[in-house]
Amino acid sequence: MKKTIWTLLALTLFVQTHWSQKSIEILKKEANTSIEKEKATYKKIALNIWDFAELGYKETNSSNLLAQQLKENDFSVTTGVAGIPTAFVATYGSGYPVIGILAEYDALPGLSQDTSPTKTLIPNKNNGHGCGHHLFGTGSIAAGIAIKNLIKEGKLKGTIKVFGCPAEEGGSGKVYMVREGLFNNVDVVLHWHPSDNNSVTYTSALANKSAKFRFYGISSHAAASPEQGRSALDAVEAMDYMVNMMREHIPQETRIHYVITNGGKAPNVVPEFAEVYYYVRNPEKTVAVNVFDRVAKAAEGAALGTGTRSEYEIIGGTHDLLINKTLADAIQINLEKVGGVQYTPEEIAFATKIQSSFIDKKPPIANAAKVNPMHIEKNLGSTDVGDVSYTVPTVGIETATWVPGTGAHSWQAVACGGTNIGIKGMLVAAKTLSYMAIDLFTNPSLVQKAKEEFKSSKGDYEYKPLLGDRKPALNYRD
């Protein structure tokens, strides 16, 4: 232990005397130049993944494209990690520090849309990148490659890792990677997410537990002999009714959503099978689990009342996001250094047309060029980055890949993500992550301070995956 402390102190002293602010700024300019030089390549990759629009755990083409780009840039790439065919870890360099960058690439079902500013489906296509993960994955590898170049040239020392993370949208891909121990020896993890603004992620996420509830009844002729049947659909509807009544009696921050994924096949046949897919969310992981258990009890009651049998399969489970102020303060400086997204006159016209479809307020289009001050907002969505954040100090940003006012999981987000507006926001993210990584490579005291805060924030909590020990739900979209 003493040897480790003295080694860190010696390294800190060396770096503080070796790295002047001027030399660090030179490295950041080189990273910027590296990304700009290859932006046509990154644009092509992102738009290819936008076109693939592959769902969670089925992102074969998307994952291969990103992994191949990393291999061509001298990374050692291990694919199929954590029992997931489309997950990978790409590594370059050796020694301390070990900096990780997360890359996502899954799309969403039911969001087919072309790049026009009006709602226009692409024929024979169902999926779309309504959360911009095609940009997320590509921007992250761009940042990783920029850092690799500096390590290769002997200008930085340490290890850069890019984590190919599938199925963020409900599949909890990173949870399995955390459970597998893939982040155990990483010092700091960086991530980003497409958005309609440029800001540091300084708000936690909602913990989330999800499952598919399945009911088994008895089929019969719905008109001639209904008394001989037991409807699995009745059980689903009874469960949904009870859960909807439950909403009055749960903490108000809780969010419960469901879709009936199978309600039978024909009206004149009493359904012998039905399925409903539930999400339960809350800012506190313990509350989310408690409410989920009550939802499961409603399923039991529904089965009892309808003479059917029930079971459920845990599909996903993610933690809230553990915020690290030390890292957030540092990355805010870098985001401000990079700046926001500047629109051309043609892009302003596109943005104006997109905003005409909004039902809420329309923020100024010029907001895309601004960097927001760091501030706390309400918890909104959920992310499996939360589980990473309970394993290693983690920090992220959002960048304006969408027209201001655009909501995630919308056709407008899909449209923006396929244009230069999305590509510009992606490059802002890539540069910011590379700048932040340079700070971490050149300032061991920043890494150490982040680790100390992480340890304090986590306290005595012992991480345990909310999805238990189940294998990756590779077919959860089926």
Side-chain angles (χ1 to χ4, degrees):
M1 182 66 181
K2 289 183 178 179
K3 183 178 179 181
T4 302
I5 293 172
W6 280 112
T7 300
L8 180 60
L9 289 174
L11 184 58
T12 301
L13 180 62
F14 167 77
V15 169
Q16 288 175 343
T17 56
H18 180 71
W19 295 108
S20 67
Q21 190 59 41
K22 183 178 179 180
S23 62
I24 292 172
E25 292 305 314
I26 290 173
L27 292 179
K28 291 180 180 180
K29 287 180 180 179
E30 291 185 16
N32 186 310
T33 299
S34 170
I35 292 168
E36 280 290 318
K37 182 180 178 182
E38 296 297 329
K39 68 180 180 181
T41 298
Y42 298 134
K43 176 180 178 178
K44 183 178 180 180
I45 291 172
L47 295 185
N48 278 336
I49 297 174
W50 182 90
D51 188 52
F52 295 150
E54 296 170 304
L55 299 180
Y57 295 132
K58 302 178 186 298
E59 319 96 332
T60 303
N61 294 316
S62 305
S63 175
N64 287 345
L65 189 57
L66 295 172
Q68 183 60 35
Q69 186 66 23
L70 289 162
K71 288 177 183 177
E72 291 175 3
N73 280 274
D74 305 321
F75 279 79
S76 173
V77 182
T78 303
T79 58
V81 298
I84 304 171
T86 54
F88 66 81
V89 180
T91 306
Y92 187 88
S94 61
Y96 172 91
V98 180
I99 306 302
I101 301 178
L102 305 181
E104 297 175 9
Y105 32 85
D106 61 322
L108 285 157
L111 281 176
S112 173
Q113 169 65 31
D114 68 11
T115 57
S116 64
T118 56
K119 189 172 184 179
T120 311
L121 302 181
I122 299 176
N124 302 315
K125 189 171 186 178
N126 180 57
N127 309 330
H129 272 285
C131 219
H133 293 176
H134 64 299
L135 301 169
F136 188 157
T138 309
S140 292
I141 71 162
I145 291 168
I147 296 302
K148 181 275 304 183
N149 291 339
L150 294 174
I151 296 174
K152 187 174 184 178
E153 294 165 5
K155 297 174 181 178
L156 290 176
K157 293 187 182 297
T159 305
I160 185 72
K161 284 180 174 283
V162 179
F163 293 87
C165 305
E168 187 276 336
E169 298 289 359
S172 304
K174 297 182 196 67
V175 180
Y176 301 105
M177 298 173 78
V178 169
R179 196 176 70 184
E180 194 74 8
L182 298 179
F183 295 93
N184 286 357
N185 296 316
V186 180
D187 293 295
V188 172
V189 163
L190 309 177
H191 67 98
W192 75 283
H193 202 283
S195 183
D196 69 332
N197 70 91
N198 307 290
S199 59
V200 172
T201 304
Y202 197 57
T203 299
S204 186
L206 300 176
N208 180 14
K209 190 168 184 177
S210 65
K212 290 182 177 179
F213 292 85
R214 301 179 178 120
F215 295 86
Y216 301 87
I218 302 172
S219 63
S220 66
H221 194 295
S225 54
E227 74 282 357
Q228 295 179 21
R230 296 293 181 268
S231 173
L233 178 58
D234 284 352
V236 165
E237 292 187 304
M239 176 187 178
D240 295 344
Y241 183 66
M242 285 189 283
V243 172
N244 286 330
M245 288 193 296
M246 187 193 303
R247 295 179 191 277
E248 183 182 359
H249 310 290
I250 57 177
Q252 63 179 357
E253 300 86 359
T254 307
R255 298 288 183 268
I256 303 176
H257 344 283
Y258 64 86
V259 291
I260 298 175
T261 49
N262 190 327
K265 303 302 181 184
N268 61 338
V269 178
V270 174
E272 67 177 354
F273 175 77
E275 180 184 82
V276 60
Y277 187 4
Y278 267 86
Y279 277 24
V280 177
R281 313 189 204 222
N282 189 276
E284 298 292 333
K285 49 193 167 293
T286 53
V287 177
V289 171
N290 176 266
V291 174
F292 176 88
D293 290 343
R294 292 174 62 187
V295 169
K297 287 293 184 184
E300 292 178 15
L304 182 64
T306 56
T308 60
R309 176 175 63 85
S310 71
E311 64 182 26
Y312 68 85
E313 177 188 5
I314 297 294
I315 298 299
T318 60
H319 278 57
D320 51 293
L321 193 63
L322 198 61
I323 299 300
N324 192 293
K325 187 176 185 301
T326 298
L327 296 175
D329 286 338
I331 203 168
Q332 175 77 24
I333 294 170
N334 286 300
L335 180 57
E336 291 175 357
K337 185 183 299 293
V338 174
V341 176
Q342 301 289 338
Y343 286 0
T344 65
E346 292 78 14
E347 289 163 352
I348 291 173
F350 177 94
T352 302
K353 184 68 174 177
I354 281 278
Q355 285 194 339
S356 70
S357 67
F358 295 170
I359 60 175
D360 291 329
K361 293 180 180 179
K362 302 173 180 61
I365 291 172
N367 283 0
K370 298 179 180 179
V371 173
N372 294 337
M374 211 161 60
H375 64 287
I376 298 175
E377 295 180 343
K378 286 185 177 181
N379 295 354
L380 297 172
S382 303
T383 174
D384 52 11
V385 177
D387 289 65
V388 178
S389 76
Y390 272 88
T391 306
V392 56
T394 303
V395 70
I397 60 168
E398 297 179 353
T399 64
T401 60
W402 309 325
V403 171
T406 300
H409 298 195
S410 67
W411 69 261
Q412 295 95 333
V414 181
C416 293
T419 70
N420 277 333
I421 288 175
I423 300 301
K424 287 179 177 180
M426 177 187 79
L427 294 174
V428 168
K431 293 172 184 177
T432 304
L433 295 187
S434 68
Y435 288 10
M436 181 63 183
I438 289 168
D439 284 344
L440 294 165
F441 277 103
T442 58
N443 186 358
S445 63
L446 175 61
V447 176
Q448 184 62 24
K449 185 178 178 184
K451 286 185 172 183
E452 290 169 357
E453 180 182 337
F454 166 77
K455 185 177 180 180
S456 175
S457 297
K458 186 178 177 182
D460 58 1
Y461 174 70
E462 185 176 347
Y463 171 79
K464 183 179 180 181
L466 299 187
L467 49 70
D469 60 359
R470 69 149 299 151
K471 294 181 179 179
L474 300 181
N475 297 316
Y476 83 106
R477 286 297 187 192
D478 294 345

PDB file of all heavy atoms in Angstrom, residues 9-23:
ATOM      1  N   LEU A   9       2.491   9.473  -5.810  1.00  0.00           N
ATOM      2  CA  LEU A   9       3.013  10.802  -5.490  1.00  0.00           C
ATOM      3  C   LEU A   9       4.165  11.175  -6.416  1.00  0.00           C
ATOM      4  O   LEU A   9       4.262  12.316  -6.891  1.00  0.00           O
ATOM      5  CB  LEU A   9       3.466  10.838  -4.026  1.00  0.00           C
ATOM      6  CG  LEU A   9       2.359  10.816  -2.962  1.00  0.00           C
ATOM      7  CD1 LEU A   9       2.973  10.699  -1.573  1.00  0.00           C
ATOM      8  CD2 LEU A   9       1.506  12.084  -3.052  1.00  0.00           C
ATOM      9  N   ALA A  10       5.036  10.194  -6.673  1.00  0.00           N
ATOM     10  CA  ALA A  10       6.163  10.451  -7.572  1.00  0.00           C
ATOM     11  C   ALA A  10       5.680  10.743  -8.984  1.00  0.00           C
ATOM     12  O   ALA A  10       6.178  11.655  -9.654  1.00  0.00           O
ATOM     13  CB  ALA A  10       7.099   9.237  -7.579  1.00  0.00           C
ATOM     14  N   LEU A  11       4.669   9.994  -9.429  1.00  0.00           N
ATOM     15  CA  LEU A  11       4.128  10.206 -10.768  1.00  0.00           C
ATOM     16  C   LEU A  11       3.447  11.560 -10.862  1.00  0.00           C
ATOM     17  O   LEU A  11       3.582  12.274 -11.855  1.00  0.00           O
ATOM     18  CB  LEU A  11       3.140   9.083 -11.111  1.00  0.00           C
ATOM     19  CG  LEU A  11       2.535   9.095 -12.513  1.00  0.00           C
ATOM     20  CD1 LEU A  11       3.655   9.036 -13.557  1.00  0.00           C
ATOM     21  CD2 LEU A  11       1.575   7.927 -12.688  1.00  0.00           C
ATOM     22  N   THR A  12       2.724  11.916  -9.798  1.00  0.00           N
ATOM     23  CA  THR A  12       2.062  13.222  -9.773  1.00  0.00           C
ATOM     24  C   THR A  12       3.082  14.344  -9.861  1.00  0.00           C
ATOM     25  O   THR A  12       2.910  15.298 -10.629  1.00  0.00           O
ATOM     26  CB  THR A  12       1.238  13.380  -8.472  1.00  0.00           C
ATOM     27  OG1 THR A  12       0.282  12.332  -8.413  1.00  0.00           O
ATOM     28  CG2 THR A  12       0.532  14.721  -8.440  1.00  0.00           C
ATOM     29  N   LEU A  13       4.174  14.239  -9.087  1.00  0.00           N
ATOM     30  CA  LEU A  13       5.215  15.265  -9.104  1.00  0.00           C
ATOM     31  C   LEU A  13       5.848  15.362 -10.486  1.00  0.00           C
ATOM     32  O   LEU A  13       6.071  16.452 -11.016  1.00  0.00           O
ATOM     33  CB  LEU A  13       6.283  14.935  -8.054  1.00  0.00           C
ATOM     34  CG  LEU A  13       7.452  15.929  -7.951  1.00  0.00           C
ATOM     35  CD1 LEU A  13       6.913  17.305  -7.547  1.00  0.00           C
ATOM     36  CD2 LEU A  13       8.477  15.440  -6.936  1.00  0.00           C
ATOM     37  N   PHE A  14       6.085  14.178 -11.108  1.00  0.00           N
ATOM     38  CA  PHE A  14       6.687  14.170 -12.442  1.00  0.00           C
ATOM     39  C   PHE A  14       5.781  14.873 -13.438  1.00  0.00           C
ATOM     40  O   PHE A  14       6.231  15.711 -14.211  1.00  0.00           O
ATOM     41  CB  PHE A  14       6.923  12.728 -12.891  1.00  0.00           C
ATOM     42  CG  PHE A  14       7.244  12.611 -14.361  1.00  0.00           C
ATOM     43  CD1 PHE A  14       8.508  12.944 -14.838  1.00  0.00           C
ATOM     44  CD2 PHE A  14       6.283  12.184 -15.264  1.00  0.00           C
ATOM     45  CE1 PHE A  14       8.802  12.847 -16.188  1.00  0.00           C
ATOM     46  CE2 PHE A  14       6.572  12.091 -16.612  1.00  0.00           C
ATOM     47  CZ  PHE A  14       7.833  12.414 -17.082  1.00  0.00           C
ATOM     48  N   VAL A  15       4.503  14.517 -13.383  1.00  0.00           N
ATOM     49  CA  VAL A  15       3.573  15.087 -14.358  1.00  0.00           C
ATOM     50  C   VAL A  15       3.413  16.590 -14.150  1.00  0.00           C
ATOM     51  O   VAL A  15       3.383  17.366 -15.098  1.00  0.00           O
ATOM     52  CB  VAL A  15       2.203  14.373 -14.275  1.00  0.00           C
ATOM     53  CG1 VAL A  15       1.156  15.122 -15.091  1.00  0.00           C
ATOM     54  CG2 VAL A  15       2.324  12.947 -14.779  1.00  0.00           C
ATOM     55  N   GLN A  16       3.302  16.998 -12.886  1.00  0.00           N
ATOM     56  CA  GLN A  16       3.115  18.420 -12.612  1.00  0.00           C
ATOM     57  C   GLN A  16       4.313  19.245 -13.074  1.00  0.00           C
ATOM     58  O   GLN A  16       4.168  20.402 -13.446  1.00  0.00           O
ATOM     59  CB  GLN A  16       2.862  18.615 -11.113  1.00  0.00           C
ATOM     60  CG  GLN A  16       1.469  18.132 -10.693  1.00  0.00           C
ATOM     61  CD  GLN A  16       1.262  18.219  -9.199  1.00  0.00           C
ATOM     62  OE1 GLN A  16       2.215  18.332  -8.423  1.00  0.00           O
ATOM     63  NE2 GLN A  16       0.016  18.170  -8.767  1.00  0.00           N
ATOM     64  N   THR A  17       5.499  18.654 -13.060  1.00  0.00           N
ATOM     65  CA  THR A  17       6.672  19.391 -13.519  1.00  0.00           C
ATOM     66  C   THR A  17       6.868  19.241 -15.019  1.00  0.00           C
ATOM     67  O   THR A  17       7.484  20.084 -15.659  1.00  0.00           O
ATOM     68  CB  THR A  17       7.936  18.881 -12.787  1.00  0.00           C
ATOM     69  OG1 THR A  17       8.059  17.474 -12.992  1.00  0.00           O
ATOM     70  CG2 THR A  17       7.843  19.165 -11.306  1.00  0.00           C
ATOM     71  N   HIS A  18       6.339  18.132 -15.583  1.00  0.00           N
ATOM     72  CA  HIS A  18       6.559  17.844 -17.003  1.00  0.00           C
ATOM     73  C   HIS A  18       5.504  18.490 -17.894  1.00  0.00           C
ATOM     74  O   HIS A  18       5.811  18.945 -18.993  1.00  0.00           O
ATOM     75  CB  HIS A  18       6.555  16.328 -17.199  1.00  0.00           C
ATOM     76  CG  HIS A  18       6.781  15.906 -18.623  1.00  0.00           C
ATOM     77  ND1 HIS A  18       8.001  16.030 -19.244  1.00  0.00           N
ATOM     78  CD2 HIS A  18       5.930  15.371 -19.544  1.00  0.00           C
ATOM     79  CE1 HIS A  18       7.908  15.581 -20.493  1.00  0.00           C
ATOM     80  NE2 HIS A  18       6.665  15.174 -20.699  1.00  0.00           N
ATOM     81  N   TRP A  19       4.251  18.497 -17.418  1.00  0.00           N
ATOM     82  CA  TRP A  19       3.158  18.992 -18.248  1.00  0.00           C
ATOM     83  C   TRP A  19       2.823  20.442 -17.907  1.00  0.00           C
ATOM     84  O   TRP A  19       2.222  20.722 -16.879  1.00  0.00           O
ATOM     85  CB  TRP A  19       1.912  18.134 -18.066  1.00  0.00           C
ATOM     86  CG  TRP A  19       2.068  16.728 -18.544  1.00  0.00           C
ATOM     87  CD1 TRP A  19       2.176  15.608 -17.775  1.00  0.00           C
ATOM     88  CD2 TRP A  19       2.132  16.297 -19.899  1.00  0.00           C
ATOM     89  NE1 TRP A  19       2.309  14.501 -18.573  1.00  0.00           N
ATOM     90  CE2 TRP A  19       2.277  14.893 -19.887  1.00  0.00           C
ATOM     91  CE3 TRP A  19       2.085  16.964 -21.131  1.00  0.00           C
ATOM     92  CZ2 TRP A  19       2.378  14.143 -21.046  1.00  0.00           C
ATOM     93  CZ3 TRP A  19       2.176  16.213 -22.276  1.00  0.00           C
ATOM     94  CH2 TRP A  19       2.317  14.822 -22.238  1.00  0.00           C
ATOM     95  N   SER A  20       3.196  21.336 -18.759  1.00  0.00           N
ATOM     96  CA  SER A  20       2.757  22.721 -18.601  1.00  0.00           C
ATOM     97  C   SER A  20       1.396  22.853 -19.254  1.00  0.00           C
ATOM     98  O   SER A  20       0.988  22.024 -20.068  1.00  0.00           O
ATOM     99  CB  SER A  20       3.747  23.664 -19.300  1.00  0.00           C
ATOM    100  OG  SER A  20       3.714  23.469 -20.707  1.00  0.00           O
ATOM    101  N   GLN A  21       0.675  23.894 -18.883  1.00  0.00           N
ATOM    102  CA  GLN A  21      -0.634  24.127 -19.496  1.00  0.00           C
ATOM    103  C   GLN A  21      -0.493  24.296 -21.003  1.00  0.00           C
ATOM    104  O   GLN A  21      -1.344  23.844 -21.776  1.00  0.00           O
ATOM    105  CB  GLN A  21      -1.292  25.373 -18.883  1.00  0.00           C
ATOM    106  CG  GLN A  21      -2.755  25.561 -19.278  1.00  0.00           C
ATOM    107  CD  GLN A  21      -3.620  24.386 -18.880  1.00  0.00           C
ATOM    108  OE1 GLN A  21      -3.485  23.809 -17.797  1.00  0.00           O
ATOM    109  NE2 GLN A  21      -4.525  24.004 -19.772  1.00  0.00           N
ATOM    110  N   LYS A  22       0.598  24.903 -21.410  1.00  0.00           N
ATOM    111  CA  LYS A  22       0.828  25.112 -22.841  1.00  0.00           C
ATOM    112  C   LYS A  22       0.984  23.785 -23.574  1.00  0.00           C
ATOM    113  O   LYS A  22       0.395  23.587 -24.652  1.00  0.00           O
ATOM    114  CB  LYS A  22       2.079  25.970 -23.053  1.00  0.00           C
ATOM    115  CG  LYS A  22       2.348  26.297 -24.518  1.00  0.00           C
ATOM    116  CD  LYS A  22       3.566  27.199 -24.660  1.00  0.00           C
ATOM    117  CE  LYS A  22       3.846  27.505 -26.134  1.00  0.00           C
ATOM    118  NZ  LYS A  22       5.034  28.393 -26.297  1.00  0.00           N
ATOM    119  N   SER A  23       1.723  22.863 -22.991  1.00  0.00           N
ATOM    120  CA  SER A  23       1.930  21.573 -23.650  1.00  0.00           C
ATOM    121  C   SER A  23       0.635  20.772 -23.693  1.00  0.00           C
ATOM    122  O   SER A  23       0.367  20.044 -24.660  1.00  0.00           O
ATOM    123  CB  SER A  23       3.025  20.775 -22.952  1.00  0.00           C
ATOM    124  OG  SER A  23       2.670  20.473 -21.615  1.00  0.00           O
TER     125      SER A  23
END
